[in-house]
Amino acid sequence: MNLLVTGAAGFIGSRYVRMLLDSRAPDAPHITVLDKLTYAGTLDNLELGHPRLEFVQGDICDAELVDKLTSEADQVVHFAAESHVDRSIMGAADFVRTNVVGTQTLLDSALRNGVGAFVHVSTDEVYGSIDEGSWPEEHPLAPNSPYSASKASSDLLALAYHRTHGLDVRVTRCSNNYGPHQFPEKVVPLFITNLLDGRKVPLYGKGLNVRDWLHVEDHCQGVDLVRTKGRPGEVYNIGGGTELSNKELTGLLLDACGADWDMVEYVEDRKGHDLRYSVDWSKARTELGYRPRHELRSGLADTVAWYRDNRDWWEPLKRRVGGEHV
Ligand code: NAD
Ligand code: TDX
C-alpha cells in the first residue's frame, strides 16, 4: 500500500510518518512525503533513509508533480498548509494559495487517478469561537482569521469533492497540538525556547483566551483511525486534551522551566483573537475508539525536556525567521 503524505516535514505530519514507520504491522504502508520545505518544514524532522520512506520536495500547487505522485498512491493524508494565525494576519496570500488552491489541486488529482481514502486534516478553528459548550461536527463553520477562513475553504472543498464526485474524503478537525518538533513560533515552543534562553514571553491581551491542548501523538492516532476505520464523506472532531486559559498554560510552562511571572510580558492582543475553541469528539470516540492518552502536565514536562535536549533542532529555525515572529 502506497500512502502519500503532504506537509510531513512539519510538526504534525512528521510525527504521523514516524508513527507509521515505527509500526511493525504487516500492512504498514510505503510512504511518500511531498513537502515544499517552507520556513516551517525541515528534513531534520524525517527519518530519511528508512526503507519505507521516500521524500519529494515540491509544492502541492504543482499539478504535474501532484499528478505523478497521486497516480502512484493508494491513499492520501493531507497535512500541508500554512498554519500560523499571526502570519495570516500579516499577509493572507500564501494561505489562500497553499491551503485553498493547493488542496483543490490535490483533490482534482486524487479524483483523476482513482485514489482511495483522502484524509483532509482540518482544524477546530474553522468553527469560529465558542463561549460555552462544544461544537459537534454538524455545527456551521464561521472562521474568523484569514488562516481559519482558508482552512474552512479547503475543508468545504474536500467535502464537496465527496458529495459531487464521490471521492472518498474524510475530514478531521483537531484542537491545539503540542509536543516535540513544533516550530518555535507557536505559543508552547515559543514560550519554552524563550524561557530556556532567559528571555521574556509575550502573552497576548489579558491571557484569558482558552484552548484545548492535545499531545501531537494523540492527534496522529486520531488521524490514523480516521484513515483506517473512518467513513467516506464524514467529519471527525479530534479533541479531549485539557482546556486552559493562556494564563494557566503560561503558569504551567513557567513551572516546567523553573521561571517566574516576571518573565511574562503582557503585549497587545492578536487582532480578531478567538476567545475559546472546544470540539465535541464523542463521534470519534464511539465510532472509531479514539481516546487521548497523554496527560497535559507530564506531556508538557516531556516537551520542555525535549526542547532542552534538542537545541540543535530549534536554534537554526529561530535564526531562520530572525526576530520576525519569534
Ligand atoms: P507546520 O506549519 O508545522 O507544517 C506544515 C508543513 O507543510 C511544512 O513542512 C511546510 O513545509 C509544508 N508546506 C507548506 N506549504 C506547502 C506547499 N505549498 N506544498 C507542500 N508543502 C507545503 O504545520 P502543523 O502544525 O504540522 O499542521 C499540520 C496540519 O494540521 C495543518 O493542515 C494544520 O492546519 C492542521 N492543524 C494543526 C494544529 C496545530 O495545533 N498545529 C491543530 C489542528 C490542525
Ligand atoms: O506569542 C504568543 N502569545 C500568545 O499569547 C502566541 C504565538 C500566541 N499566544 C496565544 C494566542 C492563542 O490564544 O496563545 C494561543 C495559542 O496561539 P498559537 O500557538 O498561535 O495557536 P492558535 O492560534 O490557537 O492556532 C493553533 O491551533 C489550531 C495552530 O497554530 C493552528 O495551526 C491550528 O489549526
Side-chain angles (χ1 to χ4, degrees):
M1 210 278 279
N2 288 319
L3 181 63
L4 175 62
V5 184
T6 70
F11 167 48
I12 305 172
S14 65
R15 179 61 244 173
Y16 179 71
V17 166
R18 275 196 299 283
M19 182 182 87
L20 292 187
L21 292 179
D22 287 348
S23 161
R24 291 176 190 276
D27 59 349
H30 179 276
I31 297 172
T32 302
V33 168
L34 171 61
D35 196 297
K36 189 179 175 182
L37 297 182
T38 66
Y39 81 95
T42 167
L43 289 180
D44 292 346
N45 284 344
L46 287 168
E47 216 178 312
L48 296 179
H50 191 289
R52 284 195 287 110
L53 176 66
E54 184 193 348
F55 177 76
V56 177
Q57 180 170 3
D59 193 326
I60 57 168
C61 299
D62 178 345
E64 204 176 314
L65 174 61
V66 165
D67 232 24
K68 176 180 176 300
L69 298 179
T70 52
S71 72
E72 294 160 359
D74 300 298
Q75 297 181 341
V76 174
V77 180
H78 174 35
F79 290 98
E82 287 293 335
S83 70
H84 192 41
V85 174
D86 290 326
R87 284 179 185 266
S88 81
I89 294 168
M90 293 171 71
D94 285 348
F95 288 74
V96 173
R97 186 179 172 279
T98 287
N99 300 1
V100 185
V101 179
T103 300
Q104 175 258 322
T105 306
L106 275 168
L107 289 163
D108 261 350
S109 184
L111 183 64
R112 231 184 344 265
N113 289 297
V115 164
F118 183 115
V119 181
H120 174 72
V121 180
S122 187
T123 168
D124 61 357
E125 296 197 21
V126 297
Y127 294 114
S129 182
I130 189 166
D131 291 349
E132 287 174 4
S134 303
W135 297 291
E137 285 83 356
E138 313 74 55
H139 198 277
L141 306 192
N144 293 314
S145 71
Y147 162 70
S148 54
S150 69
K151 289 295 291 186
S153 306
S154 56
D155 180 317
L156 292 175
L157 267 174
L159 291 170
Y161 271 71
H162 171 71
R163 289 186 195 126
T164 307
H165 299 294
L167 187 66
D168 177 354
V169 166
R170 301 138 191 229
V171 171
T172 63
R173 296 182 186 146
C174 186
S175 55
N176 282 59
N177 286 212
Y178 71 93
H181 296 270
Q182 187 169 27
F183 194 89
E185 65 185 349
K186 306 282 164 54
V187 74
V188 169
L190 173 66
F191 281 20
I192 293 173
T193 54
N194 275 15
L195 292 170
L196 291 178
D197 276 348
R199 290 170 56 198
K200 291 196 173 192
V201 298
L203 187 54
Y204 294 165
K206 295 188 168 134
L208 299 179
N209 304 65
V210 172
R211 299 291 183 265
D212 171 47
W213 290 100
L214 186 71
H215 195 281
V216 62
E217 284 176 10
D218 288 325
H219 183 186
C220 291
Q221 177 222 346
V223 168
D224 212 47
L225 285 168
V226 170
R227 178 180 72 85
T228 53
K229 294 188 179 165
R231 287 179 293 137
E234 293 294 317
V235 178
Y236 297 90
N237 287 338
I238 301 179
T242 306
E243 260 192 42
L244 293 176
S245 69
N246 290 336
K247 213 170 161 179
E248 290 169 319
L249 174 72
T250 302
L252 291 181
L253 292 173
L254 290 171
D255 276 356
C257 294
D260 296 323
W261 277 96
D262 57 10
M263 294 306 284
V264 177
E265 192 173 4
Y266 285 90
V267 298
E268 191 183 333
D269 208 352
R270 174 184 279 175
K271 281 189 191 173
H273 199 170
D274 285 332
L275 180 64
R276 176 173 172 264
Y277 303 137
S278 179
V279 287
D280 173 349
W281 50 281
S282 49
K283 178 174 171 184
R285 184 181 59 225
T286 51
E287 204 177 304
L288 309 175
Y290 162 76
R291 255 176 203 74
R293 300 194 180 114
H294 289 267
E295 187 269 322
L296 183 72
R297 200 175 271 271
S298 61
L300 281 180
D302 291 348
T303 302
V304 169
W306 187 87
Y307 280 90
R308 188 173 275 133
D309 294 344
N310 288 278
R311 278 183 173 271
D312 288 355
W313 182 85
W314 57 266
E315 281 179 343
L317 297 182
K318 272 199 145 170
R319 276 199 297 275
R320 194 191 275 185
V321 292
E324 190 188 355
H325 291 277
V326 295

